[in-house]
């Protein structure tokens, strides 16, 4: 795991939390496979990621904070993340009907060259 990859991933989280979609999309491959944390499965391609986040941010306000980085046996980067989900007024959610909630999860990034080609969500490390 290179320090450049870790720094890129940290910037992705900061950009996501700032709702700067374009900064995140700039480091995704054209045909990226991105985990859909609300509905399950994956969305494919940059425009699909943009659409997913736009839809997500219209109903909730998630915040993700990376706390640990680890290289997996197959060369991916696993990031332990504290995920907090708020309503659009900044209040913690209660009685959620979607798949997102406050918890610690693992985000797994697969990188080729300087682009993320796949993003998955798993249980905590």
């Amino acid at each position: 795991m290179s320090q450049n990859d870790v720094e890129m991933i940290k910037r992705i989280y900061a950009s996501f939390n700032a709702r700067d979609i374009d900064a995140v999309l700039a480091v995704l491959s054209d045909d990226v496979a991105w985990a859909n944390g609300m509905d399950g499965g994956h969305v494919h391609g940059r425009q699909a990621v943009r659409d997913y986040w736009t839809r997500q941010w219209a109903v909730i306000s998630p915040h993700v904070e990376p706390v640990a980085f680890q290289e997996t046996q197959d060369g991916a980067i696993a990031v332990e993340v504290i995920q907090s989900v708020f309503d659009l007024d900044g209040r913690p959610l209660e009685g959620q009907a979607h798949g997102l909630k406050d918890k610690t999860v693992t985000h797994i990034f697969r990188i080729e060259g300087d682009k993320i080609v796949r993003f998955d969500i798993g249980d905590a490390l």
Side-chain angles (χ1 to χ4, degrees):
M1 159 174 69
S2 79
Q3 190 59 35
N4 286 342
D5 288 346
V6 170
E7 292 303 318
M8 175 180 64
I9 292 170
K10 286 179 180 179
R11 285 191 305 274
I12 287 171
Y13 285 111
S15 296
F16 176 87
N17 290 333
R19 306 299 182 251
D20 184 354
I21 294 176
D22 291 327
V24 179
L25 294 179
V27 297
L28 304 185
S29 69
D30 291 339
D31 59 348
V32 65
W34 195 269
N36 181 330
M38 288 181 67
D39 305 316
H42 288 79
V43 297
H44 298 272
R46 287 184 187 153
Q47 186 59 46
V49 173
R50 178 186 298 278
D51 294 346
Y52 164 61
W53 282 341
T54 300
R55 185 173 58 86
Q56 182 184 93
W57 295 339
V59 295
I60 59 169
S61 181
H63 180 87
V64 286
E65 193 66 40
V67 294
F69 294 80
Q70 177 180 333
E71 186 168 359
T72 66
Q73 286 186 344
D74 64 356
I77 298 174
V79 184
E80 183 178 357
V81 176
I82 298 171
Q83 169 185 288
S84 302
V85 185
F86 304 92
D87 67 18
L88 297 180
D89 293 320
R91 294 182 303 254
L93 289 181
E94 296 179 14
Q96 304 169 53
H98 52 73
L100 296 176
K101 62 182 178 179
D102 290 1
K103 60 182 175 180
T104 301
V105 297
T106 300
H107 289 169
I108 302 165
F109 293 88
R110 299 194 185 285
I111 300 171
E112 292 179 7
D114 61 350
K115 299 289 185 187
I116 294 169
V117 297
R118 186 175 178 92
F119 167 77
D120 293 290
I121 302 171
D123 295 327
L125 292 172

